[in-house]
Amino acid sequence: MMRDLRPLISPDSIAIIGASSNPGRVGGMPLALLLQHGYAGRIYPINPKYTDISGLTCYPDVESLPGPADLAVLAIAAEDVVASLKRCHAKGIPAAIVFAAGFAEAGDAGKALQDELEQFAAASGMIVAGPNCMGFANLNTHAYTAFASVFKNTPPPAQPGNTALVTQSGNVCAAVYSVGRKQGVGYNYVINTGNEACLEFSEYLEWLVEDESTHCVAGYVEGLRDGARFVRTVARARELNKPLILLKVGDSSKGQEAAASHTASLAGDQRVYKAALRQLGVMRADDLAHMADLCYLAQFRHKTGGKRIAIVTISGALGALLSDRFSDHGVEIPTLPADVQATLRAGIPDYGMVSNPIDITGNVVNQQGFFAEALGTVLDCAEVDAIVMYAPGYLLDRLTPELVEAAGKTDKLIAAIDTGNATVRETLEQAGIPVFTETGRAVAALSSFLHWQDGRRATWRPMPQRAAMTASALDIVETVRSKKRVALDEAEGKKLLASFGVPVAHEAVATNPAEAASMAQRIGFPCVLKILSPDILHKTEIGGVRLNIGSAQEAASACEEILAAARAKMPDARLTGVLLQRQEKSAAELLVGVTRDPVFGLVMTVGLGGILTELYQDVAQRILPVDAAMAQEMLRELRAWPLLDGYRGRQPADVTAACQAIAAVSEAALALGPELSELEVNPLMLRAAGEGAVAVDALAMLTPREK
Amino acid sequence: MMRDLRPLISPDSIAIIGASSNPGRVGGMPLALLLQHGYAGRIYPINPKYTDISGLTCYPDVESLPGPADLAVLAIAAEDVVASLKRCHAKGIPAAIVFAAGFAEAGDAGKALQDELEQFAAASGMIVAGPNCMGFANLNTHAYTAFASVFKNTPPPAQPGNTALVTQSGNVCAAVYSVGRKQGVGYNYVINTGNEACLEFSEYLEWLVEDESTHCVAGYVEGLRDGARFVRTVARARELNKPLILLKVGDSSKGQEAAASHTASLAGDQRVYKAALRQLGVMRADDLAHMADLCYLAQFRHKTGGKRIAIVTISGALGALLSDRFSDHGVEIPTLPADVQATLRAGIPDYGMVSNPIDITGNVVNQQGFFAEALGTVLDCAEVDAIVMYAPGYLLDRLTPELVEAAGKTDKLIAAIDTGNATVRETLEQAGIPVFTETGRAVAALSSFLHWQDGRRATWRPMPQRAAMTASALDIVETVRSKKRVALDEAEGKKLLASFGVPVAHEAVATNPAEAASMAQRIGFPCVLKILSPDILHKTEIGGVRLNIGSAQEAASACEEILAAARAKMPDARLTGVLLQRQEKSAAELLVGVTRDPVFGLVMTVGLGGILTELYQDVAQRILPVDAAMAQEMLRELRAWPLLDGYRGRQPADVTAACQAIAAVSEAALALGPELSELEVNPLMLRAAGEGAVAVDALAMLTPREK
């Protein structure tokens, strides 16, 4: 259920507990800001030392207020916070912001204080932001409840924008606000979440996504606590077409260490974060300027497109440079079709370029009307999603009327990079053309933005989050649980998967050499024998696997040797028997794994398996569910994809069957839901195209039951 | 031999042919600049239309000059250039700059003009820059010979710096000059090379490296024509401890296309460029701002170090963010030793961080002297090469005295990043502390700079560029040449390599099944048989390789089958026989190749071989010579290196033997020198550590002889 955060973020009246007339003090700054920016609601300073502050009546305590305020801002010491909240609650104040540090971030005593705070908030239903937070700024109503000098020193905006900023760090909050304002980002709310004792990042996000004045949310995140709410909220933001931009730290081990130490946040797996944010269609920012630039781009909301750009410059060198950098970022620069090139060539001299990058040469300014025509021709081209124009300032100035004209006739994005001193920025922006002044920042921001636009077209679709259990799976889980086990043996794992439609290798279980011989005869040669035990996960290491068995005789002796080896190496293991399978001849092998991430829940990993995949970290990951189409995307994402696709005359593998099998694994994992800890098919063998795929080995672990 | 470019770059007198009083014209701008900046040498405007221009005597033609000028600036049309140069030469003018476009970049007629220009310059010995160039700026003598408005509009520097800028593009030249000046880069010369008809990039570089006023050279390059001179010059720059910074475009296919089209420059292999520049210790810039930032950093010349940094901030979030970004760039952030942490903890509260990144917290400003002590402790730590300080402007202002004090006591680099509005930039810079105002640019520049510093310690050492031929190699080359062949067969290739000390597999050549049987008996089993023919390069494809031969009998029939297959599939091939080898059991296999790059000459490529190495592009490259130590660096550079080094319980391979073999291949290639087109050992089999390496197959191609 979504709580209404309006009293917190858009209060009609504000009590400041610990108010001060000195704007240099924590209790003075919000008051000064409210007055400076002309907040129209009621302000109640509270401080027993004064009777009035800055011309406002000052109350000795919260009880003396003429009525309940929407919001109490607590500018008091940590140890006084909970008592004060109780008095606010008694007065009927529904929301509070706690500035004080000295809670969970500060040792055991602080942790105890924070527990107390949390318990009170949970019991009372009071909406409490912080502690250890810098406060908020509402640029719509001028409800500034922050003790940040940035709101005093940065000139106030002429009018609020539509970008909400939510950060887990006060320093980042102030810095991004300042960088963003310089780049022309219009904010409506600025929120620093602090320790998030009672109100977590995703809950703010949820409220902001539904807020009408918010068209875009930018966030700084060290860790998410409520992954499910986050995923739900991001899906809702997509529905409402509101871009989300996140700066998430912790990619590196040192960054993660620092983030964890900073807010004691749940780390989660950084690779899963990366995959999940991409899958969910969240724009990922790399640093403060990049974040501000993405907010800036997101303001040009009517533009749609993909990642195929035309580069237009007046210099071959700058065209080459931009091509290199955009290519680094995976942006495509398609060669223009011959007819488009011919149209361009009519006005561009020989020493210019028409194939893309386009070098219109400085000459173009002398030809009345040609540039507008050239832009129109390129924008009409179906192979091009956006134009990036790169020119020295004085040329940009001259070409602006034509750029504006072209922008008025297209839904494709036109962006400009100015090498210096163009005077036309405002004119271009009003025409829907973002302007950058530095190549590096322009390429980083435009690349992220265009990839995001491209991804929006296909990556994510709402899919059922649950799947029905099969009778066979229910049986197996019951059996395993009844035996107090958590690991399924290979036969159980494959039977479970098969019940969801995962094709598994034809197999049989022998308990002695004679059985092995006759079963091998039935299965056919060559075949494989493997030890079967819920206690033995790494079969090869103990001599528990034999390949290339060519006769019944060989099968019998292999069975005997395997059982003997297992008894010798792992005397305590429970031995179910020996598993026999036809030895598959494969075009390729995949690893398909599902693990439980502490933030995002069940997550699938797909890769080629083997030691090189591990070294090159060449895997694709998704939050479940994964359907066959998404499985196909995952496989194509692998750098090793060509190996599945007939690289250098190899036999193409049955990718269709692989994708169906992967989707079935996803279905099985979702059906098991909270019961499942880990599920892995390794290898999933792919035969040649059209001949199917088969799970050769499977590993499954249930979640341990609480005792 | 090095030509003296002084008359061109530092002329004592300048004649401007086609001079104009209008600074908006090509012949007017240099004159205006010379006068604006107070050039002290003589200026001779030449134009038959005027008797004086801007107070200077104007001469009707070059013949009328009172004496020869050092330099003629030709502001005249392309078709008049050569005639004018001849008259200048006749007058005794040793150098000229040609502005005009319309040469090689402009079709066949232009190419003919450029050929004529080249021929005249070569025959006369005249030093001619351009054509199609923007001219030069000499900030030492104020000899501005450029028609670029940037030198008019950017305020003149108080005094010249020591950074020379040489670019193959006029637009880049102007843009980098302007960006660099903003960042505080002091230039002495700015040179645009244009079409480089008679004077190539590396020749300018060579002169600049020897020039006393130049401490650093920054270049923009589309293509190098004289790789040998470039390599020699870079080596000389290292000797003189003068950093080189290059922005080289063409990394991407589109960038390469644009660069090639732009200056018709020799493309070369982009991966070789990348490897070579790194090997030679050239700093590589990614864009204009990055280049300016590297020049800025290079000005702080007394600092030495490596790539292990300590990050000092007053915010856990900013520390986490910087850690992520520096880690992305491969910069190391070592965890500080326990005693250093303990010293820091004495002054940093619990909620701060001491392990690195270090969060000193805002609290630190209240503790007189602690910050200086903390900085000293970290700088004394042997695990740290540099400190990066990140703080909001007001805090940087407050901490500056302590930063300056610390900088005075260390040779390690301290760099600062200001989140905004610090007023102390100049003070810090004077203390040797570079200051950045944006995280993204700071991280990009510092990372490149620290990697370069780290690499300077080891990467490159001058080594002999030639090696002596062996008698055996001379024999083989003579035999191959006498038979009008270019390809060596496998036995010849291995014999050649063996003569340089490359260990090759024990082998024998059989011409019939009976010989094969007896030779196999002598070599031992299992053995391998391979077709031997100078005309068959891909043996496997035609059924010319048989593995796992276990007996003399098998060897005889394999020999028969191989010869039959070769005769059937390639009836025209000359068959030398069948090669027998002991089948090696290897811990790992390498590919060791030498190819001839059009720019850098003989280049070695080392990788693991196989299809995945190809897909993941996991190879290391170096210009020859490669000695054993460099070979070791190459192997460690591979992402697959752990596979050679005992990853996950695998047997470590004999890396020492591999490195010796690689060095011997390099020696062989160098000895062959211009005779060699291509040399490849694939695979070089590595046995377990201590057991050696062996070249199992070898391919060698000589350069075709001109008919």
Side-chain angles (χ1 to χ4, degrees):
Chain A
M1 204 206 61
M2 195 182 121
R3 288 199 283 180
D4 184 6
L5 305 186
R6 192 208 50 78
L8 182 69
I9 298 172
S10 265
D12 284 337
S13 51
I14 302 170
I16 301 172
I17 301 177
S20 159
S21 60
N22 177 355
R25 299 186 69 99
V26 166
M29 175 72 81
L31 189 57
L33 288 171
L34 289 167
L35 295 171
Q36 177 191 344
H37 293 290
Y39 172 63
R42 276 155 302 157
I43 310 171
Y44 302 117
I46 297 179
N47 193 329
K49 292 191 215 154
Y50 309 103
T51 52
D52 71 293
I53 294 181
S54 310
L56 295 169
T57 305
C58 184
Y59 298 86
D61 47 41
V62 74
E63 289 78 7
S64 319
L65 295 184
D70 270 354
L71 172 69
V73 174
L74 272 61
I76 55 178
E79 54 272 26
D80 302 326
V81 161
V82 174
S84 180
L85 284 177
K86 286 180 179 166
R87 292 165 67 185
C88 290
H89 181 60
K91 183 71 182 182
I93 298 177
I97 296 176
V98 180
F99 287 164
F103 286 87
E105 82 287 0
D108 290 340
K111 277 199 193 75
L113 273 185
Q114 184 156 327
D115 286 347
E116 202 189 336
L117 173 64
E118 273 184 61
Q119 281 155 22
F120 169 72
S124 66
M126 198 170 176
I127 298 168
V128 182
N132 190 21
C133 88
M134 190 188 79
F136 300 2
N138 180 329
L139 285 80
N140 292 332
T141 66
H142 310 295
Y144 284 83
T145 52
F147 65 95
S149 58
V150 70
F151 299 116
K152 194 180 74 185
N153 301 333
T154 310
Q159 51 182 33
N162 305 100
T163 299
L165 179 63
V166 199
T167 80
Q168 291 182 333
S169 150
N171 276 301
V172 168
C173 203
V176 173
Y177 179 76
S178 156
V179 177
R181 287 292 303 280
K182 271 184 212 150
Q183 179 62 32
V185 177
Y187 295 105
N188 57 351
Y189 309 118
V190 181
I191 293 170
N192 172 228
T193 66
N195 282 13
E196 303 188 359
C198 325
L199 204 50
E200 192 261 357
F201 186 88
S202 301
E203 196 169 351
Y204 290 100
L205 195 61
E206 196 175 33
W207 188 86
L208 291 167
V209 163
E210 300 294 341
D211 173 69
E212 277 188 16
S213 81
T214 304
H215 297 171
C216 168
V217 184
Y220 165 83
V221 171
E222 293 175 355
L224 292 169
R225 292 195 194 148
D226 191 343
R229 192 196 291 260
F230 179 78
V231 170
R232 213 162 59 222
T233 304
V234 172
R236 177 68 180 148
R238 287 177 73 104
E239 264 175 43
L240 298 172
N241 196 25
K242 297 188 176 185
L244 298 183
I245 297 160
L246 279 197
L247 176 54
K248 162 78 184 71
V249 291
D251 270 358
S252 65
S253 60
K254 273 290 173 182
Q256 197 172 343
E257 192 184 314
S261 147
H262 188 224
T263 40
S265 60
L266 196 63
D269 181 325
Q270 299 308 315
R271 279 174 304 182
V272 172
Y273 262 111
K274 197 169 176 179
L277 294 180
R278 193 170 146 222
Q279 176 181 358
L280 295 169
V282 174
M283 269 185 268
R284 186 90 189 255
D286 289 333
D287 59 41
L288 308 183
H290 190 218
M291 187 170 187
D293 291 343
L294 290 176
C295 292
Y296 172 69
L297 278 174
Q299 291 178 159
F300 298 86
R301 304 194 68 228
H302 61 290
K303 304 298 179 188
T304 56
K307 59 174 181 180
R308 301 166 308 166
I309 62 169
I311 295 173
V312 180
T313 76
I314 55 106
S315 152
L318 297 179
L321 183 57
L322 272 191
S323 297
D324 280 352
R325 293 294 82 80
F326 274 115
S327 298
D328 284 349
H329 285 76
V331 170
E332 291 167 26
I333 305 155
T335 298
L336 297 176
D339 57 329
V340 175
Q341 293 198 32
T343 309
L344 294 174
R345 186 54 84 196
I348 295 177
D350 275 359
Y351 60 89
M353 290 185 292
V354 295
S355 66
N356 192 16
I358 302 161
D359 173 9
I360 56 173
T361 77
N363 210 32
V364 84
V365 294
N366 306 323
Q367 297 176 65
Q368 192 62 36
F370 170 71
F371 182 59
E373 190 195 324
L375 283 176
T377 306
V378 174
L379 287 165
D380 283 345
C381 175
E383 282 79 1
V384 170
D385 299 316
I387 282 185
V388 179
M389 173 80 201
Y390 188 11
Y394 68 94
L395 262 172
L396 205 55
D397 287 352
R398 285 226 230 163
L399 298 173
T400 286
E402 288 160 281
L403 280 164
V404 169
E405 185 192 328
K409 293 180 187 162
T410 184
D411 276 338
K412 295 182 180 176
L413 179 70
I414 304 177
I417 309 173
D418 163 26
T419 62
N421 309 318
T423 58
V424 289
R425 183 171 171 139
E426 215 168 306
T427 312
L428 289 170
E429 287 177 345
Q430 272 161 13
I433 301 173
V435 184
F436 291 90
T437 50
E438 201 188 281
T439 2
R441 276 176 69 170
V443 170
L446 285 167
S447 300
S448 297
F449 189 72
L450 296 171
H451 275 293
W452 171 76
Q453 284 193 318
D454 195 54
R456 277 210 299 181
R457 298 195 288 203
T459 312
W460 197 82
R461 44 216 161 261
M463 287 190 282
Q465 291 289 326
R466 298 243 151 254
M469 276 292 268
T470 58
S472 162
L474 282 169
D475 263 4
I476 292 168
V477 170
E478 202 187 300
T479 307
V480 172
R481 290 293 189 195
S482 71
K483 293 184 179 165
K484 312 280 181 209
R485 288 196 269 133
V486 289
L488 277 64
D489 70 26
E490 185 180 338
E492 288 166 341
K494 283 198 224 164
K495 196 171 159 201
L496 184 145
L497 287 169
S499 77
F500 287 93
V502 179
V504 300
H506 184 53
E507 64 191 21
V509 178
T511 53
N512 59 56
E515 269 180 34
S518 69
M519 284 170 173
Q521 199 73 52
R522 214 165 52 237
I523 285 173
F525 301 101
C527 67
V528 184
L529 273 68
K530 293 190 266 189
I531 189 71
L532 190 60
S533 160
D535 302 317
I536 303 178
L537 295 181
H538 302 287
K539 307 177 185 99
T540 308
E541 279 79 341
I542 62 137
V545 179
R546 297 287 296 274
L547 306 172
N548 285 316
I549 302 301
S551 67
Q553 170 71 40
E554 271 187 68
S557 46
C559 176
E560 189 156 1
E561 287 159 27
I562 285 173
L563 289 170
R567 279 189 207 104
K569 298 267 174 63
M570 296 193 68
D572 298 332
R574 288 159 292 180
L575 304 183
T576 315
V578 171
L579 191 75
L580 285 90
Q581 293 173 330
R582 181 67 186 259
Q583 188 162 328
E584 295 284 340
K585 224 178 145 181
S586 69
E589 294 186 7
L590 294 178
L591 173 153
V592 181
V594 176
T595 49
R596 181 173 293 284
D597 182 77
V599 177
F600 292 102
L602 294 173
V603 170
M604 177 172 278
T605 302
V606 172
L608 244 63
I611 203 158
L612 284 173
T613 293
E614 197 181 312
L615 276 176
Y616 294 120
Q617 299 193 5
D618 186 19
V619 296
Q621 290 188 306
R622 293 288 189 284
I623 309 174
L624 293 192
V626 171
D627 63 10
M630 193 182 279
Q632 175 101 6
E633 277 176 30
M634 293 175 81
L635 293 178
R636 283 178 184 273
E637 209 173 290
L638 300 175
R639 276 170 295 155
W641 160 251
L643 287 189
L644 306 181
D645 196 36
Y647 186 65
R648 297 219 163 194
R650 290 168 66 106
Q651 206 169 27
D654 196 333
V655 170
T656 309
C659 293
Q660 283 161 355
I662 292 168
V665 172
S666 164
E667 183 109 345
L670 274 186
L672 287 161
E675 288 279 15
L676 186 69
S677 168
E678 203 185 333
L679 179 61
E680 185 178 296
V681 177
N682 186 13
L684 176 69
M685 277 202 176
L686 313 191
R687 303 199 190 98
E691 294 175 16
V694 59
V696 173
D697 200 351
L699 179 157
M701 303 276 283
L702 302 183
T703 45
R705 284 261 162 90
E706 308 279 327
K707 295 278 157 68
Chain B
M1 200 207 64
M2 196 181 121
R3 288 198 283 179
D4 184 6
L5 305 186
R6 192 208 50 80
L8 182 69
I9 298 173
S10 265
D12 285 336
S13 50
I14 303 170
I16 300 172
I17 302 178
S20 160
S21 60
N22 177 357
R25 299 184 69 100
V26 166
M29 174 72 81
L31 188 56
L33 288 171
L34 289 167
L35 296 171
Q36 176 190 343
H37 294 288
Y39 172 64
R42 276 156 302 156
I43 310 170
Y44 303 118
I46 297 180
N47 193 331
K49 293 192 214 153
Y50 309 103
T51 53
D52 71 294
I53 294 182
S54 311
L56 296 169
T57 305
C58 183
Y59 298 86
D61 48 42
V62 75
E63 288 78 7
S64 320
L65 293 183
D70 269 352
L71 172 68
V73 174
L74 272 62
I76 55 177
E79 55 272 26
D80 302 327
V81 162
V82 175
S84 180
L85 285 176
K86 287 180 180 167
R87 292 165 67 186
C88 291
H89 181 61
K91 183 72 183 181
I93 298 177
I97 295 176
V98 180
F99 287 163
F103 286 87
E105 83 287 1
D108 290 340
K111 277 199 193 72
L113 273 184
Q114 185 157 327
D115 285 346
E116 203 189 336
L117 172 64
E118 274 185 60
Q119 281 155 21
F120 169 71
S124 66
M126 197 171 178
I127 298 169
V128 182
N132 189 20
C133 88
M134 190 189 78
F136 300 2
N138 180 328
L139 284 78
N140 293 333
T141 66
H142 310 295
Y144 285 82
T145 53
F147 65 93
S149 57
V150 69
F151 300 115
K152 194 181 73 185
N153 302 332
T154 311
Q159 51 183 35
N162 304 100
T163 300
L165 180 62
V166 200
T167 79
Q168 291 182 332
S169 151
N171 276 299
V172 169
C173 203
V176 173
Y177 179 77
S178 157
V179 177
R181 287 291 304 278
K182 271 184 212 149
Q183 179 62 30
V185 177
Y187 295 105
N188 58 351
Y189 309 119
V190 180
I191 293 169
N192 172 227
T193 66
N195 283 13
E196 302 186 359
C198 325
L199 203 51
E200 194 260 357
F201 187 89
S202 301
E203 196 168 350
Y204 290 101
L205 195 61
E206 196 174 34
W207 189 85
L208 291 167
V209 162
E210 300 295 342
D211 174 68
E212 278 188 15
S213 80
T214 304
H215 297 171
C216 169
V217 184
Y220 165 83
V221 170
E222 293 173 356
L224 293 170
R225 292 198 193 143
D226 191 343
R229 192 196 292 259
F230 179 78
V231 170
R232 213 162 61 224
T233 304
V234 172
R236 177 68 179 147
R238 286 178 71 105
E239 265 175 45
L240 298 172
N241 196 25
K242 298 188 176 186
L244 298 183
I245 298 160
L246 278 199
L247 176 54
K248 161 79 182 72
V249 291
D251 270 357
S252 64
S253 59
K254 273 290 172 179
Q256 198 172 343
E257 189 184 315
S261 148
H262 188 224
T263 39
S265 60
L266 196 62
D269 182 324
Q270 299 307 313
R271 281 174 305 183
V272 173
Y273 263 109
K274 197 170 174 178
L277 294 180
R278 194 171 145 223
Q279 176 183 357
L280 295 168
V282 174
M283 269 185 268
R284 185 92 189 254
D286 290 332
D287 59 42
L288 309 182
H290 191 218
M291 187 170 188
D293 291 343
L294 290 175
C295 291
Y296 171 69
L297 279 173
Q299 291 177 162
F300 298 86
R301 301 193 69 227
H302 60 290
K303 302 300 178 187
T304 56
K307 59 175 181 179
R308 300 165 307 164
I309 62 169
I311 296 173
V312 180
T313 75
I314 55 105
S315 151
L318 297 179
L321 182 59
L322 272 191
S323 298
D324 280 352
R325 294 294 81 81
F326 274 116
S327 298
D328 283 349
H329 285 77
V331 170
E332 290 166 27
I333 305 153
T335 298
L336 297 175
D339 58 328
V340 175
Q341 293 198 31
T343 309
L344 294 174
R345 185 55 83 197
I348 294 177
D350 275 358
Y351 60 90
M353 290 185 292
V354 296
S355 65
N356 193 18
I358 302 162
D359 172 9
I360 55 171
T361 78
N363 211 31
V364 83
V365 295
N366 307 322
Q367 297 175 67
Q368 193 61 35
F370 170 72
F371 182 59
E373 191 196 324
L375 283 176
T377 306
V378 174
L379 287 165
D380 284 344
C381 175
E383 282 81 0
V384 170
D385 299 316
I387 283 185
V388 179
M389 172 81 200
Y390 188 12
Y394 69 95
L395 262 171
L396 204 57
D397 287 352
R398 286 225 228 161
L399 298 174
T400 285
E402 290 159 281
L403 280 164
V404 169
E405 186 192 329
K409 294 180 186 162
T410 184
D411 276 338
K412 296 182 180 177
L413 179 71
I414 304 178
I417 310 173
D418 164 26
T419 63
N421 309 318
T423 58
V424 289
R425 183 172 170 136
E426 216 168 305
T427 312
L428 290 171
E429 287 176 346
Q430 273 161 13
I433 301 174
V435 184
F436 291 90
T437 51
E438 201 188 284
T439 3
R441 276 177 68 169
V443 170
L446 285 166
S447 300
S448 297
F449 189 72
L450 296 171
H451 275 293
W452 171 76
Q453 283 193 319
D454 194 55
R456 274 209 301 180
R457 299 196 287 205
T459 312
W460 198 81
R461 44 216 162 262
M463 286 191 283
Q465 292 290 323
R466 299 242 152 254
M469 277 293 269
T470 57
S472 163
L474 282 169
D475 265 3
I476 292 168
V477 170
E478 203 186 299
T479 307
V480 171
R481 291 292 191 196
S482 72
K483 295 184 178 164
K484 310 281 183 211
R485 288 197 269 133
V486 291
L488 277 63
D489 71 27
E490 186 179 337
E492 288 165 342
K494 284 198 227 166
K495 197 173 160 200
L496 184 146
L497 286 169
S499 77
F500 288 93
V502 179
V504 300
H506 183 53
E507 65 191 20
V509 179
T511 53
N512 59 56
E515 270 180 35
S518 70
M519 284 171 173
Q521 199 72 52
R522 211 166 54 238
I523 285 174
F525 301 103
C527 69
V528 183
L529 273 70
K530 295 190 265 188
I531 187 71
L532 190 61
S533 160
D535 301 318
I536 303 179
L537 296 180
H538 302 287
K539 307 177 185 99
T540 308
E541 279 80 342
I542 62 135
V545 180
R546 296 286 296 271
L547 305 173
N548 286 314
I549 301 300
S551 68
Q553 169 74 35
E554 272 187 67
S557 47
C559 176
E560 188 156 3
E561 287 159 26
I562 285 173
L563 289 170
R567 278 187 208 105
K569 298 265 174 68
M570 297 191 68
D572 299 332
R574 290 158 292 179
L575 304 183
T576 315
V578 171
L579 192 75
L580 285 89
Q581 292 173 332
R582 181 69 183 261
Q583 188 160 329
E584 294 284 341
K585 223 179 145 180
S586 69
E589 295 187 6
L590 294 178
L591 174 153
V592 181
V594 175
T595 50
R596 181 173 292 285
D597 182 78
V599 177
F600 293 102
L602 293 174
V603 170
M604 177 172 279
T605 302
V606 172
L608 243 63
I611 203 158
L612 284 174
T613 294
E614 197 180 313
L615 275 177
Y616 295 119
Q617 298 193 7
D618 187 19
V619 296
Q621 289 188 307
R622 293 289 189 281
I623 307 174
L624 293 191
V626 170
D627 64 9
M630 193 181 281
Q632 175 101 3
E633 277 176 32
M634 293 175 81
L635 294 178
R636 284 178 183 274
E637 208 173 291
L638 299 176
R639 277 169 294 154
W641 159 252
L643 287 187
L644 305 181
D645 196 37
Y647 185 65
R648 298 219 161 194
R650 291 167 67 108
Q651 206 169 26
D654 197 333
V655 170
T656 310
C659 293
Q660 284 161 355
I662 292 168
V665 172
S666 165
E667 183 107 347
L670 273 185
L672 288 160
E675 287 279 15
L676 186 67
S677 166
E678 202 185 335
L679 179 60
E680 184 178 297
V681 178
N682 186 14
L684 177 68
M685 275 201 178
L686 312 191
R687 303 198 190 99
E691 294 175 16
V694 59
V696 173
D697 199 350
L699 178 158
M701 303 276 281
L702 302 184
T703 45
R705 284 260 163 92
E706 308 278 329
K707 293 279 157 66

